[in-house]
Amino acid sequence: MGKASEFAVGLAKGVLHCQSGKMHLLLISDPGRPSRRVASIKDEFGEHLRQDFDAEVTVDVCTETLRVQADHRLELSTLDAIVDRYPDADLVIMLTDIPRHTQGKPLIAEVLPDRNVAVISFPTLGVPTKSRLLKIYMSCLNQLLPEEHLPAKTHRLPRWGQWSSRAESGRRTLHAHTFTGGPRLVLGMTMANEPLRMSRKLSRAMAAATATGAFGIFYSSIWQMSHHLSTLRLISIGAIAIAVMVGWLISLNRLWDRPVNERLTQVVFYYNLSTVLTLLVCVAALYGALVVGILAGGLIVIDPDFMAQTINRPDARLNNYLDIAWLSAAMGVVAGALGSSFDSDIDVRNLTHAQRLRSRIYTADDGEAGTA
């Protein structure tokens, strides 16, 4: 059966079910944040559909990994294989962790009429609030069904930007805004990397940073130095320390990507920018944890009168302890960069979107795969 015939059969089944008061939707999502977000909106999404279509609605969810080709295009044969395992589904919406970029702009969603499937790019949504995610799901459903079968409550089917059609394939696409789409995509990719959750992957770096930073509690010369440094200089030292560790991690683990062809130049730029932001957040969190830990240790260990005598002040204040903690943490972060050499390079590389995308690349010994 050809693709056009398959689409006609699938669409007819979906329309027939809508008319008969039944609708069966399948929500597929990539593992991790996408699957957690889909689970959080499943019940509310189903309730919206029941109200809008006045039908018996079944919403199933499953977690599957969508594969890509070497040029970052979707490997649609793997999507077909996933959908084939759920023959009862009338319509399918896939939420993927793959950032998509076509026609010079980030691609939020795409409707594939020959498969009766919509694919949403999770990172392109930026900050994926529940309301935002529900709107894009409802808008994709709006595009999947023929206009004459849409519910009367059109206000419940919001327009998300401007959908456009590709005449040669019949596919409909929803692109992000030219100016805000790029920053939103980078933000979404950075959030998808979950830098705070992944900071524990730098365990050896953290151990080296903690051990070095702890010296600041016991060496009075560091107390005196921190006391005589201005606030601006202390902040600058901290920023330089963070930058040094980020640069070291990128260089050591070869996290800076180069485009293999001109078409991917903009995409690779987004990947590199999200990598830098992810590591900045990760290292800044490590720095903040060090400052808090050293400050607590200093308050316990260092006697105020002894500190006042050492730094030649009438009394020791909280900001003196904070200055010591800040300078000691900067020393610790620089040492942590060296300690990161002993962390698993696989764990560190998996912090980034580009490396995780490489693990999705599909290879087939026979057959020709479709692309999107």
Side-chain angles (χ1 to χ4, degrees), residues 285-316:
L286 186 151
Y287 192 100
L290 279 177
V291 170
V292 172
I294 295 172
L295 176 62
L299 290 171
I300 295 171
V301 173
I302 304 173
D303 181 78
D305 293 334
F306 180 57
M307 179 189 286
Q309 180 182 351
T310 302
I311 63 177
N312 195 25
R313 280 185 56 87
D315 59 350

Side-chain angles (χ1 to χ4, degrees), residues 11-49:
L11 185 57
K13 182 179 71 169
V15 172
L16 180 62
H17 280 192
C18 289
Q19 291 175 331
S20 64
K22 293 183 179 181
M23 180 185 294
H24 189 167
L25 269 79
L26 175 64
L27 307 183
I28 308 174
S29 58
D30 276 331
R33 291 184 75 242
S35 63
R36 294 196 294 270
R37 294 303 290 164
V38 170
S40 70
I41 69 165
K42 173 190 173 184
D43 293 338
E44 190 170 348
F45 181 53
E47 185 59 31
H48 283 344
L49 296 179

